[in-house]
Amino acid sequence: MKRLGGILIMLLLWLAFMPDSVARCQQMKGAMHAGDGMTAQIPFGRINLTDTYLQPAGSLLASTVVAPTAYTFGGAHAGTVLWECDEADLPALTFLVATNGDDRVGGFWDVGRSDGLQDVYATWFEQVGLRLSMAEVVLTRFWKAVPLTSYALVGGRVQIRLQDIPALRAELYRISSLPPASGAASNFCGRMMSASGTGAVYTCNQPNGYVQLKGPGLVSDEVGADSAWHYRFWGAHNGFGYGLRNAVSLSNNATCVARTATPQVVLPTISAAELAAGQVARGRFGVQLECSSAASSGTGSGQTAIGIQVSATAYAHAQRLGLLNPAGGVEALVSDNYGQVGYAEGVGIQLEDTSSGTTMTFVGQPGMTGNVPGANPSGRSAGWWPVMEGATVTGSSATGYQNHQRSYDAVLRMLPGQQPTPGKVEATAHVLVKVQ
């Protein structure tokens, strides 16, 4: 009896002096839900399938960046803590990402290969495929690791907040094939949806991708496992999904495409003092368009408009500087690295239509339009202008189509209420041509 008692005492002491071996992560109760209707929405707004002359298979239809704060279950916000771990756990912590591999239109079928695309998965919309990536890691059916690079340290504990999950990049492509009718692990949404003139809404609630955290004590999956059959995290709600549900519609209107645009606009050197005195620096650029003769130019529903969209980082700076209008349009484009050493402050680039001299608003982020549930910004205040307004017809390359040229001036000037400081100005913007 004494011998057994001695063994028991020694065992208890041994357990008491090995705390590091039982370090565990804690999933914050109620902070996450992996259910189909709780996904972070991927907001494309209206996308459009036109004829294959303007838009052959393999064409990029739209792209957007989804901030982690698009996930709002339970009132989640940027600072919401999703997981807590010991600091000693850091080397073992990583995010895992994959498509919703068990569903026919959620991420089971990689359908883009016949069109020269890779890792483009079938969606519920016919002829529309989706590619997702996070921190340059492209999502496939097989779980991949995304490094944890952002977190908070509080009292020796690692807190992983919603804002610490990297942004998700989403791209929609036109594809020529449909996914096989059978063979996937599930087909929850059944018959696929085709485009309509007024815009068919994506009501399938199946997620298109997932993120989870792998760490000591968490119910998670393994790197390389096929998400079609391996989704242990799901029942434990150790993560959440991203989906197109109710955030995109598909139309089939005649429209235009941007064929080329001036790739770089170089503005003449100007001093901070000259800008403060009201002087400006100008640079001209052009956009070459090709339009169907049946396209309707305008900003109303079903019409085609053009916009110049600021980069995601420039948009964030514009928010901070008070450069957004109530419609989400951006009044001035600032450097992507605004506020960093070596970059000018108190200055921004405005956009002017060369044909009329009208000052134009830039499109903000995500720049979605169209008839999906909720209010999507449209019109000139949001940065959308009739595609042919002020354009010059430059000829035709095919029967039933016309080429157009639009010219713009990029005008560097002092921002209202700011004091210019010397430095570089390097800003990025993209040309969007979109059915409204």
Side-chain angles (χ1 to χ4, degrees):
M1 293 293 291
K2 290 181 180 179
R3 181 179 177 84
L4 289 174
I7 293 173
L8 178 59
I9 292 171
M10 290 176 64
L11 179 60
L12 290 173
L13 287 172
W14 180 69
L15 290 172
F17 284 99
M18 51 177 297
D20 290 342
S21 65
V22 291
R24 289 289 184 268
C25 291
Q26 179 183 1
Q27 182 181 321
M28 306 311 289
K29 186 175 181 180
M32 288 173 289
H33 199 297
D36 297 343
M38 311 300 178
T39 53
Q41 291 177 303
I42 304 173
F44 283 110
R46 174 177 285 192
I47 59 171
N48 189 67
L49 285 179
T50 190
D51 59 79
T52 54
Y53 170 75
L54 290 180
Q55 197 182 70
S59 298
L60 177 67
L61 300 176
S63 64
T64 191
V65 175
V66 185
T69 47
Y71 174 73
T72 58
F73 170 75
H77 54 84
T80 298
V81 178
L82 305 180
W83 299 276
E84 273 196 2
C85 302
D86 286 345
E87 190 173 355
D89 296 326
L90 270 173
L93 300 181
T94 186
F95 295 115
L96 296 182
V97 292
T99 64
N100 178 22
D102 72 328
D103 194 83
R104 179 188 179 220
V105 297
F108 187 91
W109 295 109
D110 184 351
V111 290
R113 295 183 184 277
S114 60
D115 302 313
L117 303 171
Q118 190 171 1
D119 302 325
V120 173
Y121 286 81
T123 71
W124 188 57
F125 280 156
E126 293 180 350
Q127 296 184 293
V128 177
L130 175 67
R131 177 191 284 142
L132 299 174
S133 60
M134 181 179 287
E136 307 300 324
V137 176
V138 178
L139 275 65
T140 69
R141 268 176 45 182
F142 301 90
W143 292 105
K144 294 182 180 180
V146 171
L148 171 67
T149 59
S150 172
Y151 52 85
L153 273 176
V154 180
R157 295 281 285 172
V158 174
Q159 291 186 344
I160 302 168
R161 306 152 297 181
L162 183 60
Q163 68 190 36
D164 297 320
I165 298 175
L168 183 82
R169 182 169 183 83
E171 299 166 320
L172 289 176
Y173 291 88
R174 182 175 196 149
I175 54 176
S176 59
S177 59
L178 298 178
S182 60
S186 69
N187 187 17
F188 185 83
C189 292
R191 183 176 175 272
M192 297 176 71
M193 179 63 69
S194 57
S196 73
T198 56
V201 177
Y202 199 103
T203 56
C204 174
N205 70 348
Q206 279 297 292
N208 301 92
Y210 287 110
V211 61
Q212 59 173 297
L213 184 71
K214 183 173 179 60
L218 296 175
V219 178
S220 60
D221 294 280
E222 299 297 328
V223 173
D226 189 344
S227 68
W229 320 108
H230 299 276
Y231 39 87
R232 294 182 67 238
F233 85 100
W234 190 84
H237 299 298
N238 178 35
F240 58 85
Y242 295 85
L244 296 172
R245 62 175 182 91
N246 295 330
V248 58
S249 66
L250 182 65
S251 59
N252 55 1
N253 302 99
T255 188
C256 306
V257 296
R259 290 301 192 193
T260 60
T262 305
Q264 187 176 43
V265 184
V266 180
L267 301 178
T269 301
I270 188 170
S271 71
E274 289 172 323
L275 288 169
Q279 296 185 44
V280 299
R282 291 178 176 270
R284 184 157 294 181
F285 67 98
V287 177
Q288 293 72 47
L289 305 154
E290 188 168 11
C291 298
S292 165
S293 58
S296 174
S297 173
T299 59
S301 179
Q303 295 184 307
T304 299
I306 188 170
I308 311 296
Q309 184 183 39
V310 302
S311 67
T313 52
Y315 181 78
H317 295 312
Q319 273 187 310
R320 181 173 55 83
L321 293 166
L323 298 175
L324 305 188
N325 65 30
V330 181
E331 303 299 336
L333 171 67
V334 299
S335 293
D336 292 337
N337 295 316
Y338 189 93
Q340 295 187 18
V341 176
Y343 288 86
E345 295 187 39
V347 299
I349 296 169
Q350 289 189 322
L351 186 66
E352 288 185 5
D353 177 18
T354 304
S355 65
S356 65
T358 302
T359 299
M360 307 173 74
T361 306
F362 289 94
V363 176
Q365 293 284 342
M368 62 181 181
T369 61
N371 62 333
V372 297
N376 292 324
S378 62
R380 297 171 193 255
S381 294
W384 296 104
W385 301 75
V387 67
M388 298 179 196
E389 184 176 285
T392 302
V393 177
T394 59
S396 175
S397 54
T399 302
Y401 302 89
Q402 279 189 323
N403 298 322
H404 301 260
Q405 167 82 24
R406 286 201 61 154
S407 294
Y408 301 89
D409 280 349
V411 185
L412 179 70
R413 54 169 36 108
M414 178 178 65
L415 294 175
Q418 300 283 324
Q419 182 62 40
T421 63
K424 295 182 292 185
V425 177
E426 294 179 352
T428 307
H430 304 275
V431 177
L432 301 181
V433 177
K434 195 169 186 181
V435 172
Q436 304 295 286

